Amino acid sequence: MKLETKRYIIGFLGMVFLASLVLVQAMEVARKREEVGLAAAHIAVPAASQSCVECHGKQSPGIIDHWKGSTHARKGVGCVECHKAEKNDVDAFTHHGALIATVVTPKDCGRCHKKETEEFMHSHHAKAGNILASLDNFLAETVEGSRVPFNPHSPTPGRPEITEVNGMASSFVGCQQCHGSKVALVGRDGNGITVDQLKPGPDGVPTNLAILDQIVKDESGKPKYHPSSWPNTGIGRLNLDGSLGSCSACHSRHDFSPRRARQPENCGKCHLGPDHPQKEIFEESKHGVAYRDLKEHMNLDAEKWVLGEDYSQAPTCATCHMSANSKGGEVTHDPGKRISWSNRPAVSKVLDTDADGKIVGETDPAKRRSLIAFSAEEKRTNMKQVCHHCHTPDYVSSFYKQYDDFVVLYNEKFGKPGESIMKELAAQGLTTKTQFDEEIEWTWFYLWHHEGRRARHGAAMMAPDYAHWHGMYEVAERFYQKLIPQAREIIEHARVVGRTEQADAVEKVINEILARPEHAWKEPPAEKTAAAE
């Protein structure tokens, strides 16, 4: 081959290589322009969903507009692909030739997102619907409302149809919109038909076939959802097919925006307020300050969004608890994989969990080890991987020492003593079995459920004001100025009515607590003088 020919070949190959580089760069620029909204993304409407997009584009254009901005739209996943149902699904109905269901459950999402669904189903988020049998829900259903309808005190001008008060409204609109509820279809008797009556098998198909005839449907054959349970995107929703949770609790339908899910405001629907103000705590912390200042540099639209590769300016909730990082941390849909203390209960618990994800309560060291499937130490190591992107090992270890010391201080000085006093009052029959019908029960609930949680969460997320002034200061005030005096008042009343033995038992517990050195600053109450009397 002549030298001149070789030159032509090399020149041609060079031009091809250069053209390929230009093409790749152009494609990447186009992709980034689509990601940041500077150019319309390519939309692939699957044939099965073509009529859906056309019809809903006129009837509910916001839904279609959101969908067009999703990754689903770019990859050809449309309406039918998510909403499609099987013939035996209890909520299935034919809609313009397609068999679909209104509610998309984690079981449905799992057809494509198997790993994410399995992780989520194992998480505490998926179990959030357990609140339906909790003390919190008793507050909403009974103390704030009523488990049976009741008559209004007087007519409501302009609303003559209001002849009955729904006492469950606070629970439906409050608790269950975050925690989830049992999705229900309307029965012929007006009551809801839930997973409890349907008894679905592992495939999600109901096994109680007799109940199916009781479901009310509209003229098109669509099952009617009970208004007490739908709409509901509670993260621990109990679905008709037996699955738990709602993916749209975090991934807003119908665009399922990763950008939005990565921002702390997305978590703020549920993680805020007096009992678990994680969003406010984050905003006070240096992490939150950095996020607000540097948000536009955090590459929130990145496809992968890996800490240490795509961004490093600041963390968000997702960064620490769920997202991938360059030190080996993979994306997880189980936030508990990086949490080492459970600060939800009255007394914080080390988050060693068994094969079912439940906290191990065994106290014998050998037996405890045999039950642990996922240790708190492993979870802490997972979180430290995130911390080490911005902080030195010594800094991280010292932070955890401070955090552990703080939680233990709360547990030992206030949590365990308060719990033991309340248990002894109940054991001696000096409080009733009904919760919140006595002042001391409200006091104790405020102490651990509000102030105690705020303190512990503040320590966990580096927010000193929440740890102290909104936390331990109020815990201490509640303990010394409310709980102890109220318990002593109950003791005195017990003695007046002749229940001396029971009163002595509770007083013994209190005296033993206050005799400990950590309470030595507080002098015993002075004896009343004749003049004072």
Side-chain angles (χ1 to χ4, degrees):
M1 185 181 292
K2 295 182 179 180
L3 180 61
E4 191 68 20
T5 302
K6 290 182 179 179
R7 286 176 177 171
Y8 280 124
I9 292 173
I10 293 172
F12 174 75
L13 292 175
M15 292 297 291
V16 170
F17 179 67
L18 180 61
S20 66
L21 289 178
V22 171
L23 177 62
V24 170
Q25 182 62 27
M27 291 173 64
E28 181 62 16
V29 169
R31 185 184 70 81
K32 294 299 292 183
R33 283 176 59 83
E34 290 177 4
E35 282 186 353
V36 299
L38 296 177
H42 171 71
I43 305 300
V45 182
S49 298
Q50 187 71 50
S51 60
C52 307
V53 172
E54 291 175 358
C55 185
H56 282 280
K58 299 173 183 176
Q59 292 187 358
S60 46
I63 291 176
I64 301 305
D65 185 57
H66 291 167
W67 173 76
K68 285 182 177 178
S70 72
T71 303
H72 281 169
R74 293 197 297 273
K75 295 187 175 181
V77 177
C79 315
V80 172
E81 284 69 28
C82 290
H83 284 274
K84 68 180 179 180
E86 302 297 331
K87 183 178 178 181
N88 293 326
D89 289 345
V90 68
D91 54 348
F93 66 101
T94 301
H95 182 64
H96 296 284
L99 189 66
I100 65 168
T102 300
V103 179
V104 178
T105 73
K107 189 182 289 290
D108 298 320
C109 298
R111 291 194 292 256
C112 297
H113 303 283
K114 183 178 179 181
K115 176 178 179 289
E116 292 81 359
T117 299
E118 289 177 350
E119 289 174 341
F120 172 78
M121 294 295 282
H122 197 263
S123 73
H124 189 74
H125 272 164
K127 313 299 190 301
N130 290 340
I131 192 176
L132 296 175
S134 74
L135 196 61
D136 296 52
N137 217 48
F138 174 76
L139 266 174
E141 291 182 356
T142 303
V143 182
E144 300 168 23
S146 171
R147 284 179 173 163
V148 295
F150 60 92
N151 293 327
H153 286 265
S154 62
T156 300
R159 296 293 300 275
E161 75 278 8
I162 298 178
T163 59
E164 189 176 72
V165 179
N166 183 353
M168 297 289 285
S170 181
S171 177
F172 293 157
V173 176
C175 310
Q176 296 181 23
Q177 293 299 324
C178 275
H179 286 266
S181 64
K182 293 178 182 177
V183 177
L185 299 173
V186 177
R188 295 188 184 278
D189 60 0
N191 294 319
I193 297 174
T194 71
V195 63
D196 294 341
Q197 290 83 40
L198 295 168
K199 303 184 187 304
D203 56 358
V205 176
T207 60
N208 181 12
L209 303 182
I211 198 70
L212 302 182
D213 292 333
Q214 300 301 313
I215 298 171
V216 174
K217 300 180 180 181
D218 66 16
E219 60 277 5
S220 68
K222 178 183 177 181
K224 289 188 176 182
Y225 286 90
H226 202 285
S228 67
S229 72
W230 187 257
N232 189 297
T233 56
I235 201 162
R237 194 177 68 201
L238 290 84
N239 300 297
L240 297 170
D241 61 9
S243 64
L244 301 177
S246 166
C247 300
S248 58
C250 298
H251 297 281
S252 307
R253 55 174 192 255
H254 287 85
D255 61 358
F256 310 101
S257 167
R259 177 187 180 88
R260 194 175 308 124
R262 291 163 178 165
Q263 298 182 56
E265 291 80 4
N266 191 53
C267 306
K269 172 191 172 187
C270 300
H271 292 276
L272 81 171
D275 57 336
H276 41 41
Q278 286 97 337
K279 182 177 181 293
E280 297 98 317
I281 287 170
F282 171 80
E283 289 170 350
E284 177 188 308
S285 73
K286 284 296 183 183
H287 289 160
V289 172
Y291 165 75
R292 289 193 299 276
D293 182 42
L294 300 169
K295 178 179 176 180
E296 64 271 22
H297 303 296
M298 290 181 63
N299 206 14
L300 288 161
D301 289 299
E303 185 174 350
K304 303 191 310 299
W305 206 60
V306 176
L307 176 64
E309 295 179 7
D310 298 305
Y311 72 105
S312 59
Q313 289 79 8
T316 70
C317 311
T319 299
C320 296
H321 293 286
M322 301 181 77
S323 299
N325 62 79
S326 62
K327 293 187 181 294
E330 297 181 346
V331 175
T332 176
H333 280 68
D334 180 359
K337 286 186 174 181
R338 302 177 188 175
I339 297 175
S340 48
W341 280 104
S342 173
N343 292 320
R344 289 185 300 273
V347 177
S348 294
K349 297 179 180 179
V350 175
L351 208 52
D352 292 326
T353 50
D354 62 19
D356 296 322
K358 295 179 180 178
I359 298 176
V360 176
E362 176 60 56
T363 56
D364 178 81
K367 292 180 181 178
R368 184 179 179 87
R369 279 194 299 272
S370 68
L371 295 172
I372 296 173
F374 194 2
S375 73
E377 199 56 43
E378 291 176 274
K379 294 169 184 175
R380 179 164 291 189
T381 298
N382 292 340
M383 184 64 87
K384 284 182 176 181
Q385 287 180 329
V386 183
C387 304
H388 288 157
H389 282 81
C390 298
H391 303 290
T392 65
D394 285 347
Y395 184 100
V396 175
S397 295
S398 294
F399 159 75
Y400 270 113
K401 178 66 167 66
Q402 292 178 357
Y403 173 41
D404 288 345
D405 287 349
F406 187 96
V407 172
V408 171
L409 171 62
Y410 162 82
N411 275 356
E412 301 301 328
K413 185 164 186 179
F414 301 112
K416 290 180 181 179
E419 192 173 61
S420 65
I421 291 169
M422 295 304 295
K423 284 183 177 179
E424 191 62 29
L425 283 167
Q428 296 301 327
L430 299 186
T431 54
T432 67
K433 292 182 179 180
T434 301
Q435 294 293 312
F436 300 108
D437 63 339
E438 290 152 315
E439 186 178 11
I440 196 170
E441 291 165 338
W442 292 81
T443 296
W444 171 235
F445 194 71
Y446 269 114
L447 191 155
W448 74 265
H449 190 268
H450 283 41
E451 291 125 6
R453 280 184 178 176
R454 288 201 295 267
R456 290 170 281 170
H457 290 147
M461 296 170 61
M462 305 179 76
D465 196 61
Y466 275 90
H468 178 61
W469 289 117
H470 292 299
M472 287 293 270
Y473 165 79
E474 294 187 351
V475 168
E477 189 272 342
R478 188 80 61 179
F479 183 82
Y480 290 119
Q481 300 302 318
K482 298 285 196 327
L483 187 74
I484 297 297
Q486 287 168 9
R488 291 197 185 280
E489 184 178 352
I490 292 172
I491 291 169
E492 291 308 310
H493 177 73
R495 288 203 172 100
V496 169
V497 298
R499 304 187 67 184
T500 305
E501 184 178 339
Q502 291 84 353
D504 289 345
V506 177
E507 186 171 49
K508 181 175 183 290
V509 171
I510 294 174
N511 288 341
E512 287 176 351
I513 289 169
L514 295 182
R516 292 171 62 94
E518 62 267 26
H519 300 288
W521 70 272
K522 192 176 186 301
E523 296 181 7
E527 293 293 330
K528 288 184 178 180
T529 65
E533 293 177 352

